[in-house]
Amino acid sequence: MEPNSPRCSSIHASMAGSRSTAPSNRSISAFIAAPFAFASILPAIPYSISEARHAMSDMPLTETTLKGLPFLGSAIPLSRDALSLFTTSLQDADRVRMRVFGRTVLLLSHPQDIEEVLVRRRDEYGRSAEILKLQPIFGKGLLASDGDLWRKQRSLLQPNFGHAALKEYAAQMHKTIARLMGTWNDDAVLDVHPAMMQYTREVICAVLFGDPVAGEQQQLGEAVTTVFGDLRSEILYLPLWRRLPFKRSRSWNQAVAVLDRSIRTAIGQRRNLPPSGSDLLDLLMHASTADGYTMSDEQLRDEILTFFLAGHETAALGLTWALHLLAQHPAVQQKVTEEVTALLNDGGSLAESFTKLPWTTAVVKEALRLYPPVWSMGRRAVANTELESAPVENGTDIWICVYRLHRDPRWYPDPHTFEPERWIDAPPPRSFTYLPFGIGPRVCIGQHFAMMESIIGLAAILSRFRVEATAKAAPEFSAWITLRPKTPIRLRLREFRDNTRG
Ligand code: HEM
């Protein structure tokens, strides 16, 4: 997709938070200035309302209602296995209505409804109940805030995820994965998810704080792992769970305190130094909008925690699933290895030339299609509104099942098959059917960052190692906030090249 095409400018215009529901051809907004050089690695998220309307107008949407228990509604099957409940019920209808603890929930996976909720009628939907429950811990960072605060923060933060900034981060990413691979040996069996968590955690720490001394990094890393590893309980039981004298809640509280203290200390120390532009913390601290708005220390702390929350595990999961898929598909792995090797043999460097790796990019996109780390997105209606032929009452919870959307045979032929070819020299998928990073004004601010981190990470690993599956069975996954493997994914590393280049 050309960045200045009408489609693309519609995306950008839609993100500017305008109240109009009509598509606009305004040129690229300051919010999402997708850099030209990165266009080829972005997930194809074609967006043209008129095109989408035309293509889908002849298909009436179907709706069903799930019967549940009094008051509990569908809470029990939902807590047992939400993903199965979602995918099974969405097989029979485009929309599923259910009750959960007395609330109405509308489950969606049709692109037409998704467009309504996330773009056309976006002002009629607010943050989801689950996200709002995180506010006492993570404050009013970008993910959990809304309205004017969100708009101000988004425009302040967005430039730091644009082209120039990303180029700086590429070198950090490459350095980080190279350092990590220095600890891997030929024939070793790698537990992939924790290894990728280490990679993305070190990247986000390095990008935010520069290269802190190893001890601080380690302490911060452990706190991040504890806090974000136990978010599930947090969301369910907050604030009760935190007050109970369990070992897990105690260590969780301690980790939150460490994280909080480390971030506040880093902010405090920096306030006494002149601006250096050396890392993201420094840039954010001194950023201001055209009308002079700057962030308070409290807001800065919330944004940094939010980046950990939103950008650490998600990116690690994308990479974990990509490596798993490559181990299952040696022929595709070979293609990736060949293109990376060719680039390096021609004197290219991964940090500078990662946009020139179509197979690696396609593998990342396809992994995010099959295993979207954010497999479900939520909103809550803040007004009485409607979807085509369906009323939506104020207060209705909306859940969008991205997993089902990505595996719907109407949009993806042979939807459960790993086929990176879909993303190479093929027309982009139908509008609003590929949403690993969401869409509309609340689209992931870190999407380019995450794509770059994934491509550089994957390419670096495959420039040196072949990965082999150690188990035949496909791993099961647990779908709570993110789509995680239920049991470890262990891959055998076969070193074929030393890591002195690239
Ligand atoms: C593969 C990796 C990632 C995936 C799959 C992912 C996915 C998403 C999705 C689906 C949303 C939109 C949620 C919604 O509309 O309700 C989102 C929002 C967000 N993401 Fe990401 N993300 C990833 C990486 C990152 C990274 C690396 C960062 C930061 C460094 C980040 C920061 C954020 C923030 C701050 C938001 C909230 C944006 C807003 O509401 O304005 N994400 N992400």
Side-chain angles (χ1 to χ4, degrees):
M1 182 169 64
E2 294 299 318
N4 288 322
S5 69
R7 274 178 175 182
C8 202
S9 43
S10 300
I11 294 182
H12 299 134
S14 79
M15 289 165 179
S18 141
R19 296 213 156 235
S20 158
T21 51
S24 148
N25 269 339
R26 257 185 292 157
S27 62
I28 298 179
S29 89
F31 275 167
I32 306 290
F36 186 88
F38 293 96
S40 63
I41 62 160
L42 291 182
I45 307 177
Y47 172 49
S48 153
I49 289 176
S50 53
E51 177 204 9
R53 296 250 145 243
H54 174 73
M56 290 185 273
S57 57
D58 53 341
M59 298 185 289
L61 267 58
T62 53
E63 183 171 323
T64 188
T65 301
L66 279 191
K67 287 204 172 64
L69 297 170
F71 183 68
L72 287 178
S74 298
I76 292 175
L78 201 60
S79 64
R80 264 195 217 123
D81 189 351
L83 181 59
S84 289
L85 181 73
F86 285 14
T87 45
T88 316
S89 55
L90 284 167
Q91 223 128 42
D92 302 327
D94 295 309
R95 295 177 193 136
V96 180
R97 248 173 234 274
M98 62 180 107
R99 303 278 294 171
V100 181
F101 293 124
R103 301 192 65 87
T104 303
V105 172
L106 196 51
L107 177 61
L108 308 174
S109 80
H110 193 283
Q112 187 176 309
D113 281 343
I114 294 173
E115 180 185 348
E116 289 292 308
V117 172
L118 297 184
V119 178
R120 291 173 70 87
R121 292 176 183 266
R122 59 182 176 263
D123 293 331
E124 286 154 22
Y125 297 93
R127 301 277 77 197
S128 70
E130 289 72 25
I131 293 285
L132 290 179
K133 278 186 188 158
L134 291 172
Q135 265 193 0
I137 306 297
F138 299 104
K140 297 198 172 159
L142 210 53
L143 195 65
S145 61
D146 223 340
D148 281 348
L149 175 65
W150 171 79
R151 251 183 285 278
K152 274 197 291 191
Q153 282 300 113
R154 181 95 196 196
S155 59
L156 197 64
L157 296 171
Q158 187 69 54
N160 297 293
F161 291 88
H163 181 44
L166 289 177
K167 265 173 84 174
E168 298 291 319
Y169 307 150
Q172 281 283 15
M173 290 166 183
H174 189 237
K175 211 164 101 181
T176 306
I177 191 70
R179 194 168 50 218
L180 191 61
M181 288 195 308
T183 64
W184 300 351
N185 298 316
D186 182 30
D187 211 28
V189 172
L190 187 71
D191 189 349
V192 181
H193 185 211
M196 293 303 102
M197 290 286 275
Q198 188 178 349
Y199 167 53
T200 58
R201 189 178 62 231
E202 288 185 8
V203 165
I204 195 86
C205 285
V207 164
L208 276 167
F209 305 115
D211 261 333
V213 284
E216 281 173 23
Q217 170 90 271
Q218 175 98 9
Q219 199 190 26
L220 202 64
E222 280 164 14
V224 168
T225 307
T226 309
V227 173
F228 297 110
D230 270 340
L231 264 182
R232 175 190 167 128
S233 325
E234 184 53 23
I235 285 203
L236 261 184
Y237 305 120
L238 191 133
L240 179 65
W241 178 80
R242 292 177 63 210
R243 300 217 175 91
L244 299 175
F246 298 138
K247 190 167 169 255
R248 217 154 66 105
S249 53
R250 268 206 307 272
S251 68
W252 199 86
N253 285 329
Q254 271 164 11
V256 171
V258 168
L259 206 53
D260 196 51
R261 210 173 38 240
S262 310
I263 295 174
R264 284 181 199 280
T265 306
I267 294 173
Q269 286 168 348
R270 287 304 176 83
R271 282 285 181 211
N272 299 321
L273 299 173
S276 66
S278 56
D279 52 44
L280 190 52
L281 174 60
D282 196 78
L283 292 171
L284 296 182
M285 188 172 270
H286 301 288
S288 62
T289 55
D291 57 0
Y293 169 74
T294 55
M295 257 186 272
S296 65
D297 284 3
E298 201 59 27
Q299 188 67 35
L300 198 50
R301 172 247 178 221
D302 291 354
E303 295 303 354
I304 290 174
L305 270 180
T306 299
F307 290 146
F308 279 124
L309 166 70
H312 163 224
E313 202 205 358
T314 45
L317 282 169
L319 272 166
T320 300
W321 291 116
L323 282 165
H324 157 71
L325 287 162
L326 286 174
Q328 301 287 334
H329 297 84
V332 176
Q333 187 177 160
Q334 186 58 29
K335 283 190 187 295
V336 174
T337 301
E338 278 167 15
E339 78 169 6
V340 175
T341 307
L343 181 100
L344 297 178
N345 287 345
D346 281 353
S349 97
L350 293 181
E352 281 166 20
S353 305
F354 65 92
T355 54
K356 297 179 187 152
L357 297 171
W359 274 96
T360 319
T361 307
V363 165
V364 172
K365 288 180 180 171
E366 184 68 346
L368 292 174
R369 182 185 72 82
L370 283 171
Y371 299 101
V374 181
W375 66 278
S376 160
M377 281 185 280
R379 292 290 187 274
R380 177 169 281 178
V382 292
N384 286 328
T385 178
E386 59 180 2
L387 295 171
E388 198 176 80
S389 73
V392 178
E393 271 179 34
N394 189 355
T396 301
D397 286 317
I398 304 287
W399 293 340
I400 294 169
C401 187
V402 178
Y403 180 91
R404 160 69 187 164
L405 174 76
H406 285 183
R407 289 176 181 242
D408 190 325
R410 287 176 292 181
W411 329 125
Y412 294 97
D414 218 353
H416 304 294
T417 308
F418 175 63
E419 262 177 31
E421 295 87 335
R422 294 178 208 270
W423 306 100
I424 298 176
D425 295 331
R430 186 186 282 262
S431 304
F432 292 91
T433 61
Y434 184 69
L435 304 182
F437 296 104
I439 198 166
R442 306 297 300 235
V443 71
C444 176
I445 198 172
Q447 64 171 325
H448 310 307
F449 183 106
M451 285 301 291
M452 189 169 84
E453 187 180 26
S454 307
I455 294 167
I456 291 175
L458 202 59
I461 294 170
L462 293 187
S463 73
R464 184 172 157 204
F465 294 103
R466 241 189 355 263
V467 291
E468 291 174 2
T470 56
K472 276 223 160 62
E476 286 184 47
F477 38 79
S478 107
W480 189 249
I481 306 172
T482 50
L483 199 67
R484 295 177 178 175
K486 209 178 220 166
T487 47
I489 294 182
R490 295 200 172 94
L491 301 182
R492 187 170 300 282
L493 299 171
R494 301 277 188 208
E495 187 168 17
F496 62 87
R497 179 179 188 276
D498 72 20
N499 197 27
T500 50
R501 297 190 47 206

